C-alpha cells in the first residue's frame, strides 16, 4: 500500500486534524456522556448486549454524536454507513437502503448514521419508516435541534431520543490532557489562560481541539496569558478609524459632560460637532445611549425624551430639529444619574459568556410535547400568582450555576 502512495507522490501518514487523531477508539474513551454510555446508561447497555435500537442523538455541536454512532456500529458488529442531510438527496437514500438490504440478505446488519437529520423534510423522513420497521437499517440520527419540533412523530415513535450534554470543564480538560500527550508537550498557557481556553470552547470538544492545534503550532516557549490568548484566537479589527481621532475626542467630551452633569459644556460640544458637519442622527443615537447607560432607572423618562428628540429631528430636519437634540442634552445633563442597570447588564453578559450554553432548569422549560414532558420539562413548576404571597422563591438560574 505504501508503494501506491509513493507512486502518487503522497505519504500514507499525511497530517490529519488533531480532533481526528484523538477520535476515541471505544465508547469508554468518549468524555462527558457517561449518563448514556456508562455501564448503567441506555446506550452502554445496548452496546454490551450487541443489540442496537434506532435512536436520535440530540445535543450541541462537538459533543460526540458522530463518534458515538461509529463506536456503536463497531461494538455491535454492524456495518457503518454515513450520510449527511445537508449534502444527500433521495437518490443517496435509495442507494443506501439498497446496499443495506443486500447486506442484510448476506446476514450483515447495517447502522445508518444520518447527520443533521432534521434537515430532511417531512416526506424524506417518512421514507425511513419502512426500512426501520423491517430492520433493514438501524437508524442513528444526529441533530442539534429539538426533535419534538423538527422530526416526524412517526419517526420519533420508532426511535429512542437520547440527550447529549454540552461538555463541562472537567471533560474538556480531559481532552486537553489527551491532546498534550498526543503532541508530546504541554499547551503554552498560564493556568488562567488554560481556563479561558475552556470557556472559549463553550462545551464543544471539536472546537477546543481545533483551537489547541493553533496553540501547539506556536514557536514561542513563553506561556500565554489570557490577553495574549485572546489576541491569537480572536483577532479583532480596530474599533475606530484613527484618521478621524478628533471626531471621537469630541463625542467623548460630549458624553462625559452629560455624565458629569454639566449642561453648559455639553451644549458647547454638541454645537462644536454640529458646526463641524457631524451627522445629527449619529448624535441622536449617542444621546439615546447616554439615556440608558448613564441615567437609567434614576430617571426612566430620559429615554423617552432622547427618542422623542430623534423623532423630532427626523420630522423637522436641520436647523430646527437640532434644537430638540439640544433640549435632550440639557435634560440628560441635569437628570439624576444611575449606572445600576448598565453595570448589572455587563455583569450578566460576563456571566453568560462564562457559563456558555447552560440550559434553563427543567422546571421552567416549556413542555408542549410528550417527549419533552418525559424528559422532565416543566416538572415542579410553581405558578407565582397562585402562591399566597405571589412569589414562589424558585430558582431561575441554570442548574450548576451559583446565583449572582
Amino acid at each position: 500500500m505504501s508503494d501506491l502512495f509513493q507512486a502518487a507522490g503522497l505519504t500514507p501518514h499525511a497530517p490529519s486534524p488533531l480532533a481526528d487523531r484523538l477520535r476515541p477508539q471505544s465508547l469508554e474513551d468518549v468524555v462527558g456522556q457517561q449518563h448514556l454510555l456508562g455501564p448503567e446508561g441506555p446506550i452502554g447497555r445496548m452496546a454490551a448486549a450487541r443489540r442496537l435500537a434506532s435512536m436520535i442523538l440530540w445535543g450541541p455541536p462537538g459533543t460526540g454524536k458522530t463518534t458515538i454512532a461509529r463506536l456503536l456500529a463497531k461494538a455491535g458488529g454492524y456495518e457503518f454507513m454515513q450520510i449527511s442531510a445537508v449534502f444527500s438527496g433521495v437518490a443517496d437514500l435509495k442507494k443506501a437502503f439498497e446496499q443495506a438490504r443486500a447486506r442484510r440478505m448476506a446476514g450483515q446488519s447495517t447502522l445508518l448514521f444520518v447527520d443533521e437529520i432534521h434537515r430532511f423534510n417531512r416526506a424524506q423522513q417518512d421514507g425511513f419508516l419502512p426500512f426501520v420497521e423491517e430492520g433493514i437499517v438501524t437508524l442513528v440520527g444526529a441533530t442539534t435541534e429539538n426533535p419534538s419540533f423538527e422530526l416526524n412523530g412517526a419517526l420519533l415513535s420508532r426511535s429512542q431520543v437520547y440527550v447529549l450534554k454540552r461538555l463541562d470543564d472537567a471533560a474538556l480538560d480531559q481532552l486537553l490532557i489527551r491532546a498534550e500527550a498526543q503532541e508530546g508537550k504541554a499547551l503554552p498557557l498560564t493556568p488562567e489562560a488554560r481556563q479561558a481556553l475552556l470557556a472559549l470552547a463553550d462545551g464543544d470538544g471539536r472546537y477546543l481541539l481545533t483551537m489547541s492545534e493553533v496553540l501547539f503550532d506556536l514557536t514561542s516557549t513563553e506561556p500565554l496569558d489570557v490577553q495574549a490568548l485572546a489576541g491569537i484566537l480572536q483577532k479583532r479589527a480596530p474599533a475606530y478609524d484613527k484618521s478621524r481621532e478628533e471626531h471621537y475626542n469630541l463625542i467623548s467630551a460630549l458624553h462625559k459632560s452629560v455624565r458629569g452633569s454639566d449642561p453648559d459644556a455639553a451644549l458647547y460640544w454638541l454645537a462644536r460637532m454640529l458646526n463641524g458637519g457631524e451627522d445629527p442622527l449619529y448624535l441622536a443615537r449617542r444621546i439615546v445611549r447616554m439615556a440608558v447607560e448613564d441615567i437609567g432607572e434614576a430617571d426612566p423618562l430620559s429615554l423617552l425624551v432622547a427618542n422623542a428628540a430623534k423623532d423630532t429631528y427626523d420630522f423637522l430636519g436641520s436647523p430646527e430639529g437640532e434644537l430638540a437634540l439640544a433640549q435632550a442634552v440639557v435634560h440628560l445633563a441635569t437628570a439624576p444619574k444611575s449606572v445600576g442597570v448598565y453595570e448589572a447588564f455587563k455583569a450578566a453578559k460576563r456571566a453568560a459568556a462564562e457559563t456558555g450554553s447552560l440550559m434553563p432548569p427543567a422546571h421552567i422549560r416549556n413542555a408542549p410535547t410528550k417527549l419533552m414532558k418525559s424528559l422532565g420539562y416543566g416538572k415542579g413548576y410553581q405558578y407565582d400568582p397562585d402562591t399566597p404571597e405571589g412569589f414562589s422563591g424558585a430558582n431561575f438560574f441554570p442548574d450548576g450555576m451559583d446565583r449572582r
Side-chain angles (χ1 to χ4, degrees), residues 354-370:
E354 291 167 10
T355 56
S357 305
L358 292 178
M359 291 290 288
H363 70 94
I364 60 170
R365 298 184 205 173
N366 195 26
T369 69
K370 289 183 179 178

Side-chain angles (χ1 to χ4, degrees), residues 125-148:
Q125 290 177 29
D126 283 340
F128 288 98
L129 299 179
F131 300 97
V132 172
E133 288 175 342
E134 293 177 37
I136 293 172
V137 297
T138 296
L139 174 68
V140 177
T143 180
T144 56
E145 304 294 333
N146 189 326
S148 295

Side-chain angles (χ1 to χ4, degrees), residues 32-33 35 59-63 163-169 171-172 198-199 201-204 353-359:
Q33 309 302 339
H35 64 296
T63 49
V163 182
L164 278 70
K165 298 178 180 178
R166 66 187 293 277
L167 301 186
D168 60 19
D169 283 357
L172 291 171
L198 299 182
D202 192 18
D204 186 332
E354 291 167 10
T355 56
S357 305
L358 292 178
M359 291 290 288

Side-chain angles (χ1 to χ4, degrees), residues 273-286:
M273 295 195 80
L274 288 170
N275 288 348
E278 184 58 68
D279 178 6
L281 286 177
Y282 167 79
L283 292 166
R285 287 192 295 272
R286 291 298 299 241

Side-chain angles (χ1 to χ4, degrees), residues 14-325:
S16 59
L18 181 60
D20 189 55
R21 284 179 275 139
L22 287 177
R23 192 179 293 276
Q25 299 303 307
S26 68
L27 288 172
E28 292 77 16
D29 294 334
V30 178
V31 300
Q33 309 302 339
Q34 285 302 106
H35 64 296
L36 298 177
L37 307 180
E40 300 304 316
I43 297 180
R45 290 198 300 268
M46 271 190 227
R50 295 172 63 87
R51 291 181 61 85
L52 307 182
S54 291
M55 66 186 75
I56 304 297
L57 302 178
W58 172 24
T63 49
K65 296 184 287 294
T66 304
T67 295
I68 290 171
R70 286 184 180 276
L71 296 177
L72 269 178
K74 178 181 176 182
Y78 286 57
E79 181 72 19
F80 180 80
M81 292 184 68
Q82 178 175 354
I83 61 174
S84 170
V86 176
F87 300 109
S88 304
V90 174
D92 301 294
L93 289 174
K94 287 183 177 179
K95 182 179 179 181
F97 292 139
E98 288 169 3
Q99 292 175 348
R101 189 187 295 277
R103 203 175 287 119
R104 187 187 182 206
M105 293 176 66
Q108 174 69 54
S109 299
T110 300
L111 185 152
L112 177 63
F113 176 67
V114 183
D115 198 15
E116 305 285 353
I117 191 170
H118 60 276
R119 293 182 180 269
F120 278 127
N121 62 39
R122 302 282 173 169
Q124 290 170 323
Q125 290 177 29
D126 283 340
F128 288 98
L129 299 179
F131 300 97
V132 172
E133 288 175 342
E134 293 177 37
I136 293 172
V137 297
T138 296
L139 174 68
V140 177
T143 180
T144 56
E145 304 294 333
N146 189 326
S148 295
F149 302 136
E150 303 295 337
L151 300 183
N152 282 0
L155 187 58
L156 284 176
S157 70
R158 291 160 176 81
S159 309
Q160 295 291 322
V161 176
Y162 297 118
V163 182
L164 278 70
K165 298 178 180 178
R166 66 187 293 277
L167 301 186
D168 60 19
D169 283 357
L172 291 171
D173 198 51
Q174 276 187 267
L175 291 181
L176 288 187
I177 292 170
R178 292 180 188 177
E180 290 170 327
Q182 170 76 25
E183 296 295 316
K185 58 183 177 181
L187 282 166
L189 299 173
T190 65
E192 296 79 12
R194 189 183 183 94
Q195 194 61 38
L197 181 66
L198 299 182
L200 285 172
D202 192 18
D204 186 332
R206 184 170 52 245
Y207 182 47
L208 175 71
L209 294 176
T210 299
M211 291 190 293
S212 299
E213 198 160 18
V214 174
L215 300 175
F216 280 125
D217 289 339
L218 296 176
T219 56
S220 173
T221 57
E222 287 295 317
L224 304 173
D225 60 16
V226 174
Q227 186 174 359
L229 174 68
I232 290 171
L233 297 180
Q234 295 188 8
K235 296 178 181 176
R236 296 175 180 173
Y240 301 123
D241 179 356
K242 298 299 184 183
S243 66
R244 300 187 64 202
E245 182 180 350
E246 188 66 14
H247 162 85
Y248 292 101
N249 287 339
L250 294 186
I251 193 62
S252 177
L254 171 60
H255 196 144
K256 289 179 173 64
S257 298
V258 169
R259 182 180 294 153
S261 300
D262 188 337
D264 299 309
L267 279 176
Y268 169 77
W269 294 116
L270 175 67
R272 278 278 304 271
M273 295 195 80
L274 288 170
N275 288 348
E278 184 58 68
D279 178 6
L281 286 177
Y282 167 79
L283 292 166
R285 287 192 295 272
R286 291 298 299 241
I287 290 168
V288 171
R289 176 184 169 181
M290 296 171 203
V292 294
E293 179 178 334
D294 296 286
I295 296 165
E297 287 298 284
D299 178 20
L301 286 176
S302 289
L303 179 57
L304 299 181
V305 170
N307 271 300
K310 182 265 295 181
D311 291 341
T312 301
Y313 183 85
D314 267 342
F315 184 57
L316 295 178
S318 292
E320 293 86 350
E322 295 172 8
L323 184 59
L325 301 181

